[in-house]
Amino acid sequence: MSFDVIVVGGGPAGATAAYQMGRAGAKVLLLDKAKEFPRDKPCGGGLSARLLHRFPYVREFLESGEVPVNPIRRVHLESPDSTRVTYGQNDPVLYLIRRWEFDAALFRRAQGVCTVRNGVMIRRCEVKPTHVELESTEGEIFTAPVLIGADSANSVIARHTGLRSEAAHKEYAVDMMEETDYSRLQVADREAIYLFLTLTQTFGYGYIFPKTEHLNLGFGCKLDWYLTALRGKGAEHHAGWVETLKQKGDVTGETDRSRYKAFPIPVSGPLAQTFTDRVLLAGDAGGFVNAFTAEGIFYAMASGSLAADTVLEAMRSQRYDKRQLSAYQRAWQREIGDDLRHSVEIQHRLFNGSGRMDSLVRNAKHDPELLRLIIGYSMGAARYEELRSYMMRSTVPTWVWGKMKAAVGLSA
């Protein structure tokens, strides 16, 4: 059977793209290395309100109970110096799901409109003058005029097409986490998420995400720091982190070491180029992750949707060259580009040992509007420009006054 397009990777980016193109009438082949869905997927599993607005069918399967969801209305935020502040609102700040259930729901929808092959791991991708050729580890060959690579942070498609080439330690974080049911591990506040912004010299934070029946908690850090400080000791560090949370009174019970997982997350922003002749990259494969919060589900689905739009237009024109597919990069830059670029800036400004993170949280403790904007930006409900503008208005007078006092020899 011939196909109009191949999608590699059945996670949120690939399933969204396949579903959208299949509904539009394209002949889509969706390949995934998992032998079956649901498949295990470690992840914090937070959905923003804007994701539900952008993809109404997600709201439908959450409201129907197909995917259990815990609406979160509070956030406990702790700075490196242990200053803690709590934010709450009437509407949900975030919707927590288990990724294996959520991904399976997206995959089922794609499966209904396209051809699916499970248990296929790609080892070679080659762009030819008239098509893209893929070879599986079993030696099976797949071809199509165009391809969407949505095959995770370790994307074979990105590497084999030359779109990802920088040193991995500069681009990735490592998330060390477990997802354990409440019979073993409990949290003090099931209606809140906890964020611990504890690393001061490099990007990193701890978190607690309570699901409907399970507790997800872990610690993320840049890969270079992990390789320097935690190589071979990830599980031990995680167990120690759980003990720290118990001492704080945030959790009770015992960690389940069999549920420990560590996985890479790209946190340096989208790749410089996310397209080439006959190939587009979406989701983690293209680096579509918020570098400040490490949230990737919304950006995965948005990039998958925009990639689908670009392929459908290419099919209409029967052109799959770089010039034609460059429309994809312009599209994601318009919708999510500023978000992702600013998230990298914030990561570099706050996780640098300057004490800015402590100052920000301390100020937010006494400034409800600043706190609202910090949480709103983190959860995708406030724009970077709003947060930056407010921070400038609220902090510049203090800074100017401090400089004036220093100039005339007064103590600050």
Side-chain angles (χ1 to χ4, degrees):
M1 181 177 179
S2 63
F3 296 96
D4 298 318
V5 56
I6 297 174
V7 179
V8 181
T16 298
Y19 178 58
Q20 189 168 315
M21 292 185 295
R23 290 190 67 193
K27 294 179 182 178
V28 183
L29 173 62
L30 175 60
L31 305 175
D32 194 89
K33 65 182 180 182
K35 293 183 178 179
E36 60 181 5
F37 274 71
R39 46 83 164 115
D40 189 26
K41 176 62 179 178
C43 178
L47 307 181
S48 62
R50 67 172 170 173
L51 185 149
L52 305 190
H53 178 75
R54 175 74 160 79
F55 301 98
Y57 61 90
V58 171
R59 181 182 291 278
E60 291 171 8
F61 66 65
L62 295 183
E63 292 178 346
S64 72
E66 181 182 348
V67 174
V69 59
N70 184 18
I72 294 298
R73 292 177 170 81
R74 282 191 298 278
V75 179
H76 302 301
L77 182 67
E78 186 173 304
S79 69
D81 69 358
S82 299
T83 298
R84 185 176 288 199
V85 60
T86 297
Y87 172 80
Q89 64 181 45
N90 293 327
D91 295 328
V93 177
L94 202 64
Y95 301 82
L96 296 186
I97 47 84
R98 297 187 72 197
R99 277 290 301 275
W100 76 275
E101 295 169 334
F102 179 76
D103 288 14
L106 293 178
F107 191 80
R108 283 192 292 271
R109 279 152 181 79
Q111 197 170 29
V113 295
C114 66
T115 300
V116 168
R117 287 284 308 275
N118 287 103
V120 176
M121 186 174 293
I122 299 302
R123 70 177 177 192
R124 180 177 62 85
C125 172
E126 186 175 348
V127 179
K128 301 196 174 223
T130 60
H131 62 277
V132 179
E133 182 175 286
L134 301 175
E135 182 182 1
S136 74
T137 53
E138 301 298 318
E140 194 169 3
I141 301 297
F142 304 93
T143 64
V146 64
L147 163 72
I148 295 176
D151 52 332
S152 81
N154 294 317
S155 172
V156 171
I157 307 303
R159 294 198 309 271
H160 285 210
T161 54
L163 292 173
R164 182 182 290 279
S165 58
E166 290 186 25
H169 71 276
K170 296 180 180 179
E171 298 183 352
Y172 291 110
V174 176
D175 193 0
M176 299 163 281
M177 56 81 71
E178 72 171 286
E179 192 172 74
T180 299
D181 68 69
Y182 288 127
S183 66
R184 185 178 181 106
L185 199 57
Q186 304 84 38
V187 64
D189 187 354
R190 286 198 194 182
E191 296 182 358
I193 62 171
Y194 297 68
L195 299 174
F196 303 89
L197 306 173
T198 54
L199 278 183
T200 57
Q201 300 299 324
T202 182
F203 169 83
Y205 64 92
Y207 61 90
I208 306 173
F209 279 18
K211 313 297 177 65
T212 54
E213 302 294 336
H214 297 75
L215 187 62
N216 180 291
L217 76 172
F219 193 93
C221 63
K222 285 291 285 293
L223 177 58
D224 52 3
W225 191 82
Y226 175 87
L227 293 175
T228 300
L230 297 178
R231 186 195 294 267
K233 299 183 290 187
E236 178 184 341
H237 178 273
H238 175 75
W241 172 242
V242 175
E243 288 302 313
T244 298
L245 296 178
K246 289 166 66 175
Q247 293 169 14
K248 290 175 180 284
D250 295 322
V251 302
T252 56
E254 299 299 327
T255 182
D256 182 351
R257 292 204 177 203
S258 70
R259 298 297 301 163
Y260 169 78
K261 299 278 194 308
F263 59 98
I265 306 173
V267 289
S268 294
L271 299 180
Q273 188 168 305
T274 54
F275 67 95
T276 188
D277 290 329
R278 300 186 179 275
V279 175
L280 302 173
L281 298 178
D284 284 7
F288 293 102
V289 175
N290 186 297
F292 174 51
T293 64
E295 194 276 314
I297 303 174
F298 171 75
Y299 301 104
M301 294 183 68
S303 62
S305 175
L306 296 170
D309 287 340
T310 304
V311 168
L312 290 170
E313 183 57 36
M315 286 172 55
R316 284 188 279 271
S317 66
Q318 289 296 292
R319 286 184 51 211
Y320 304 100
D321 57 281
K322 282 195 289 189
R323 184 174 180 181
Q324 176 70 30
L325 298 185
S326 66
Y328 170 57
Q329 186 127 341
R330 293 192 295 273
W332 68 251
Q333 285 174 338
R334 283 193 300 271
E335 182 171 348
I336 57 178
D338 283 348
D339 254 14
L340 297 172
R341 178 169 56 84
H342 293 319
S343 74
V344 175
E345 294 173 7
I346 288 179
Q347 181 204 116
H348 292 167
R349 286 177 181 274
L350 295 183
F351 293 97
N352 62 8
S354 66
R356 287 173 177 166
M357 187 73 76
D358 289 322
S359 297
L360 186 65
V361 176
R362 283 198 301 266
N363 289 340
K365 189 168 186 175
H366 304 290
D367 188 336
E369 179 63 8
L370 176 60
L371 178 60
R372 183 189 72 81
L373 288 171
I374 292 170
I375 299 301
Y377 173 74
S378 300
M379 304 301 158
R383 295 171 61 246
Y384 171 79
E385 287 77 10
E386 293 178 83
L387 174 59
R388 183 181 62 177
S389 176
Y390 186 82
M391 288 174 63
M392 290 180 66
R393 291 198 308 272
S394 61
T395 60
V396 166
T398 302
W399 176 81
V400 171
W401 178 237
K403 288 291 186 183
M404 289 174 63
K405 289 193 291 184
V408 296
L410 296 176
S411 59

